[in-house]
Amino acid sequence: MEQTNNEEKGTLYLVPNTLGKTPENNTIPEYVLSVIRKLEILVVENIQSAVRYLQWVGNTVPDYEIEFLLLDKNTAEQEKISFLRPLESGNNVGLLSEAGCPVVADPGSELIRMAHKRNIRVVPLVGPSSILLALMGSGFNGQQFAFHGYLPIDAEKRRKAIRELEQESRKNNQTQIFMEAPHRNDELLKDVIHCCSDSTELCTATNLTLPDERIISQSISKWKKRDQVSIHKEPTIFLISTEN
């Protein structure tokens, strides 16, 4: 394992992933790739997908020589604490996202808090953020916005949440951003169109950075006039705005 001076602690690198695999690299800077290629310890949510990403990056440490530490919503606190031991021994560790930037709609924030408490250096690396890309492409207010992650699965609770987000947008002139598991996208889209006022603006940003990227931004009244649109199983960010 690559080590620094024994008196020094390692660095926790927050490693971005692509938003989907493309033949060419159009989202991960070369400097970030150079960091990834040196890492021998990775905290990941899924080992198989992490290995596929490393194969896409190329010229990394062979995956059979990498120590993978599994971090998901079921990982116990004591196990997370154990992930810091290599860092305290002077080894660099990468926290790898499943897609996009680590921690944003991903597990890992608690591990980062623990690292800060132990005076371990944390370095976020540059990579694609579907949330910011969607906001950029929406035409909505980029000065005031809020990200709400996943809305409730229960249909009634989800519709209630949508109405509350619309009210929040109207009250504070604030863009509201949220997402859904891709296989439930169409249900969410129908609920937003049904629950929001005709004058409210809705943007869907689908397959960002990929060849079939689609960003549609228009009023609910225009959405109602569109031919049936399906975004089933395609990663999508939803944004609503009441800005006039």
PDB file of all heavy atoms in Angstrom, residues 32-50:
ATOM      1  N   VAL A  32      -8.175  14.146 -12.137  1.00  0.00           N
ATOM      2  CA  VAL A  32      -8.954  13.237 -11.299  1.00  0.00           C
ATOM      3  C   VAL A  32      -8.642  11.791 -11.664  1.00  0.00           C
ATOM      4  O   VAL A  32      -8.484  10.929 -10.789  1.00  0.00           O
ATOM      5  CB  VAL A  32     -10.464  13.531 -11.451  1.00  0.00           C
ATOM      6  CG1 VAL A  32     -11.301  12.503 -10.697  1.00  0.00           C
ATOM      7  CG2 VAL A  32     -10.777  14.936 -10.952  1.00  0.00           C
ATOM      8  N   LEU A  33      -8.528  11.501 -12.951  1.00  0.00           N
ATOM      9  CA  LEU A  33      -8.183  10.146 -13.383  1.00  0.00           C
ATOM     10  C   LEU A  33      -6.829   9.728 -12.819  1.00  0.00           C
ATOM     11  O   LEU A  33      -6.643   8.575 -12.415  1.00  0.00           O
ATOM     12  CB  LEU A  33      -8.159  10.069 -14.906  1.00  0.00           C
ATOM     13  CG  LEU A  33      -9.491  10.289 -15.632  1.00  0.00           C
ATOM     14  CD1 LEU A  33      -9.284  10.228 -17.139  1.00  0.00           C
ATOM     15  CD2 LEU A  33     -10.528   9.259 -15.195  1.00  0.00           C
ATOM     16  N   SER A  34      -5.887  10.678 -12.773  1.00  0.00           N
ATOM     17  CA  SER A  34      -4.553  10.355 -12.259  1.00  0.00           C
ATOM     18  C   SER A  34      -4.601   9.996 -10.779  1.00  0.00           C
ATOM     19  O   SER A  34      -3.825   9.145 -10.316  1.00  0.00           O
ATOM     20  CB  SER A  34      -3.594  11.526 -12.497  1.00  0.00           C
ATOM     21  OG  SER A  34      -3.905  12.638 -11.663  1.00  0.00           O
ATOM     22  N   VAL A  35      -5.516  10.625 -10.030  1.00  0.00           N
ATOM     23  CA  VAL A  35      -5.685  10.279  -8.609  1.00  0.00           C
ATOM     24  C   VAL A  35      -6.307   8.896  -8.480  1.00  0.00           C
ATOM     25  O   VAL A  35      -5.843   8.051  -7.695  1.00  0.00           O
ATOM     26  CB  VAL A  35      -6.552  11.335  -7.897  1.00  0.00           C
ATOM     27  CG1 VAL A  35      -6.853  10.894  -6.456  1.00  0.00           C
ATOM     28  CG2 VAL A  35      -5.862  12.695  -7.889  1.00  0.00           C
ATOM     29  N   ILE A  36      -7.355   8.653  -9.250  1.00  0.00           N
ATOM     30  CA  ILE A  36      -8.054   7.360  -9.182  1.00  0.00           C
ATOM     31  C   ILE A  36      -7.086   6.224  -9.475  1.00  0.00           C
ATOM     32  O   ILE A  36      -7.138   5.170  -8.823  1.00  0.00           O
ATOM     33  CB  ILE A  36      -9.223   7.342 -10.188  1.00  0.00           C
ATOM     34  CG1 ILE A  36     -10.284   8.377  -9.814  1.00  0.00           C
ATOM     35  CG2 ILE A  36      -9.854   5.950 -10.259  1.00  0.00           C
ATOM     36  CD1 ILE A  36     -11.369   8.560 -10.854  1.00  0.00           C
ATOM     37  N   ARG A  37      -6.199   6.419 -10.427  1.00  0.00           N
ATOM     38  CA  ARG A  37      -5.306   5.342 -10.865  1.00  0.00           C
ATOM     39  C   ARG A  37      -4.272   4.947  -9.818  1.00  0.00           C
ATOM     40  O   ARG A  37      -3.631   3.906  -9.938  1.00  0.00           O
ATOM     41  CB  ARG A  37      -4.612   5.771 -12.166  1.00  0.00           C
ATOM     42  CG  ARG A  37      -5.568   5.785 -13.365  1.00  0.00           C
ATOM     43  CD  ARG A  37      -4.943   6.369 -14.608  1.00  0.00           C
ATOM     44  NE  ARG A  37      -5.891   6.297 -15.726  1.00  0.00           N
ATOM     45  CZ  ARG A  37      -6.043   7.233 -16.646  1.00  0.00           C
ATOM     46  NH1 ARG A  37      -5.314   8.344 -16.590  1.00  0.00           N
ATOM     47  NH2 ARG A  37      -6.921   7.077 -17.620  1.00  0.00           N
ATOM     48  N   LYS A  38      -4.123   5.764  -8.777  1.00  0.00           N
ATOM     49  CA  LYS A  38      -3.150   5.448  -7.725  1.00  0.00           C
ATOM     50  C   LYS A  38      -3.796   4.842  -6.478  1.00  0.00           C
ATOM     51  O   LYS A  38      -3.084   4.360  -5.588  1.00  0.00           O
ATOM     52  CB  LYS A  38      -2.393   6.714  -7.324  1.00  0.00           C
ATOM     53  CG  LYS A  38      -1.543   7.308  -8.440  1.00  0.00           C
ATOM     54  CD  LYS A  38      -0.917   8.612  -8.000  1.00  0.00           C
ATOM     55  CE  LYS A  38      -0.129   9.270  -9.124  1.00  0.00           C
ATOM     56  NZ  LYS A  38       0.421  10.592  -8.716  1.00  0.00           N
ATOM     57  N   LEU A  39      -5.114   4.874  -6.398  1.00  0.00           N
ATOM     58  CA  LEU A  39      -5.781   4.453  -5.164  1.00  0.00           C
ATOM     59  C   LEU A  39      -5.806   2.929  -5.026  1.00  0.00           C
ATOM     60  O   LEU A  39      -6.139   2.214  -5.963  1.00  0.00           O
ATOM     61  CB  LEU A  39      -7.206   5.004  -5.130  1.00  0.00           C
ATOM     62  CG  LEU A  39      -7.314   6.528  -5.005  1.00  0.00           C
ATOM     63  CD1 LEU A  39      -8.759   6.976  -5.165  1.00  0.00           C
ATOM     64  CD2 LEU A  39      -6.752   6.993  -3.665  1.00  0.00           C
ATOM     65  N   GLU A  40      -5.469   2.474  -3.813  1.00  0.00           N
ATOM     66  CA  GLU A  40      -5.452   1.042  -3.514  1.00  0.00           C
ATOM     67  C   GLU A  40      -6.541   0.647  -2.527  1.00  0.00           C
ATOM     68  O   GLU A  40      -6.712  -0.540  -2.245  1.00  0.00           O
ATOM     69  CB  GLU A  40      -4.079   0.650  -2.960  1.00  0.00           C
ATOM     70  CG  GLU A  40      -2.950   0.892  -3.953  1.00  0.00           C
ATOM     71  CD  GLU A  40      -1.591   0.493  -3.412  1.00  0.00           C
ATOM     72  OE1 GLU A  40      -1.529   0.038  -2.248  1.00  0.00           O
ATOM     73  OE2 GLU A  40      -0.598   0.622  -4.139  1.00  0.00           O
ATOM     74  N   ILE A  41      -7.256   1.645  -1.992  1.00  0.00           N
ATOM     75  CA  ILE A  41      -8.357   1.381  -1.063  1.00  0.00           C
ATOM     76  C   ILE A  41      -9.546   2.235  -1.505  1.00  0.00           C
ATOM     77  O   ILE A  41      -9.410   3.451  -1.652  1.00  0.00           O
ATOM     78  CB  ILE A  41      -7.982   1.727   0.398  1.00  0.00           C
ATOM     79  CG1 ILE A  41      -6.697   1.022   0.813  1.00  0.00           C
ATOM     80  CG2 ILE A  41      -9.132   1.343   1.340  1.00  0.00           C
ATOM     81  CD1 ILE A  41      -6.166   1.455   2.174  1.00  0.00           C
ATOM     82  N   LEU A  42     -10.681   1.602  -1.709  1.00  0.00           N
ATOM     83  CA  LEU A  42     -11.871   2.320  -2.160  1.00  0.00           C
ATOM     84  C   LEU A  42     -13.073   1.954  -1.300  1.00  0.00           C
ATOM     85  O   LEU A  42     -13.340   0.770  -1.052  1.00  0.00           O
ATOM     86  CB  LEU A  42     -12.186   1.993  -3.621  1.00  0.00           C
ATOM     87  CG  LEU A  42     -11.286   2.617  -4.699  1.00  0.00           C
ATOM     88  CD1 LEU A  42     -11.632   2.043  -6.059  1.00  0.00           C
ATOM     89  CD2 LEU A  42     -11.423   4.136  -4.699  1.00  0.00           C
ATOM     90  N   VAL A  43     -13.786   2.977  -0.848  1.00  0.00           N
ATOM     91  CA  VAL A  43     -15.075   2.786  -0.172  1.00  0.00           C
ATOM     92  C   VAL A  43     -16.143   2.920  -1.243  1.00  0.00           C
ATOM     93  O   VAL A  43     -16.236   3.954  -1.917  1.00  0.00           O
ATOM     94  CB  VAL A  43     -15.290   3.845   0.932  1.00  0.00           C
ATOM     95  CG1 VAL A  43     -16.634   3.645   1.614  1.00  0.00           C
ATOM     96  CG2 VAL A  43     -14.151   3.780   1.952  1.00  0.00           C
ATOM     97  N   VAL A  44     -16.944   1.876  -1.429  1.00  0.00           N
ATOM     98  CA  VAL A  44     -17.887   1.843  -2.546  1.00  0.00           C
ATOM     99  C   VAL A  44     -19.249   1.344  -2.080  1.00  0.00           C
ATOM    100  O   VAL A  44     -19.375   0.670  -1.050  1.00  0.00           O
ATOM    101  CB  VAL A  44     -17.367   0.935  -3.687  1.00  0.00           C
ATOM    102  CG1 VAL A  44     -16.018   1.420  -4.189  1.00  0.00           C
ATOM    103  CG2 VAL A  44     -17.281  -0.530  -3.245  1.00  0.00           C
ATOM    104  N   GLU A  45     -20.267   1.658  -2.871  1.00  0.00           N
ATOM    105  CA  GLU A  45     -21.622   1.195  -2.583  1.00  0.00           C
ATOM    106  C   GLU A  45     -21.891  -0.164  -3.216  1.00  0.00           C
ATOM    107  O   GLU A  45     -22.708  -0.935  -2.724  1.00  0.00           O
ATOM    108  CB  GLU A  45     -22.633   2.227  -3.084  1.00  0.00           C
ATOM    109  CG  GLU A  45     -24.049   1.996  -2.576  1.00  0.00           C
ATOM    110  CD  GLU A  45     -24.985   3.116  -2.987  1.00  0.00           C
ATOM    111  OE1 GLU A  45     -24.521   4.103  -3.608  1.00  0.00           O
ATOM    112  OE2 GLU A  45     -26.184   3.000  -2.690  1.00  0.00           O
ATOM    113  N   ASN A  46     -21.189  -0.448  -4.314  1.00  0.00           N
ATOM    114  CA  ASN A  46     -21.367  -1.721  -5.019  1.00  0.00           C
ATOM    115  C   ASN A  46     -20.036  -2.094  -5.663  1.00  0.00           C
ATOM    116  O   ASN A  46     -19.518  -1.342  -6.496  1.00  0.00           O
ATOM    117  CB  ASN A  46     -22.465  -1.593  -6.075  1.00  0.00           C
ATOM    118  CG  ASN A  46     -22.728  -2.894  -6.799  1.00  0.00           C
ATOM    119  OD1 ASN A  46     -21.930  -3.321  -7.627  1.00  0.00           O
ATOM    120  ND2 ASN A  46     -23.847  -3.520  -6.488  1.00  0.00           N
ATOM    121  N   ILE A  47     -19.483  -3.215  -5.271  1.00  0.00           N
ATOM    122  CA  ILE A  47     -18.147  -3.594  -5.735  1.00  0.00           C
ATOM    123  C   ILE A  47     -18.138  -3.871  -7.235  1.00  0.00           C
ATOM    124  O   ILE A  47     -17.225  -3.456  -7.952  1.00  0.00           O
ATOM    125  CB  ILE A  47     -17.626  -4.814  -4.955  1.00  0.00           C
ATOM    126  CG1 ILE A  47     -17.410  -4.444  -3.474  1.00  0.00           C
ATOM    127  CG2 ILE A  47     -16.323  -5.329  -5.555  1.00  0.00           C
ATOM    128  CD1 ILE A  47     -17.008  -5.602  -2.588  1.00  0.00           C
ATOM    129  N   GLN A  48     -19.157  -4.558  -7.742  1.00  0.00           N
ATOM    130  CA  GLN A  48     -19.184  -4.918  -9.154  1.00  0.00           C
ATOM    131  C   GLN A  48     -19.199  -3.677 -10.051  1.00  0.00           C
ATOM    132  O   GLN A  48     -18.442  -3.586 -11.029  1.00  0.00           O
ATOM    133  CB  GLN A  48     -20.406  -5.791  -9.463  1.00  0.00           C
ATOM    134  CG  GLN A  48     -20.321  -7.209  -8.931  1.00  0.00           C
ATOM    135  CD  GLN A  48     -20.489  -7.292  -7.421  1.00  0.00           C
ATOM    136  OE1 GLN A  48     -21.136  -6.435  -6.812  1.00  0.00           O
ATOM    137  NE2 GLN A  48     -19.901  -8.313  -6.816  1.00  0.00           N
ATOM    138  N   SER A  49     -20.048  -2.698  -9.703  1.00  0.00           N
ATOM    139  CA  SER A  49     -20.101  -1.492 -10.526  1.00  0.00           C
ATOM    140  C   SER A  49     -18.831  -0.665 -10.370  1.00  0.00           C
ATOM    141  O   SER A  49     -18.394   0.011 -11.311  1.00  0.00           O
ATOM    142  CB  SER A  49     -21.344  -0.664 -10.187  1.00  0.00           C
ATOM    143  OG  SER A  49     -21.319  -0.240  -8.838  1.00  0.00           O
ATOM    144  N   ALA A  50     -18.215  -0.720  -9.176  1.00  0.00           N
ATOM    145  CA  ALA A  50     -16.945  -0.014  -8.970  1.00  0.00           C
ATOM    146  C   ALA A  50     -15.861  -0.599  -9.866  1.00  0.00           C
ATOM    147  O   ALA A  50     -15.078   0.144 -10.483  1.00  0.00           O
ATOM    148  CB  ALA A  50     -16.531  -0.094  -7.507  1.00  0.00           C
TER     149      ALA A  50
END
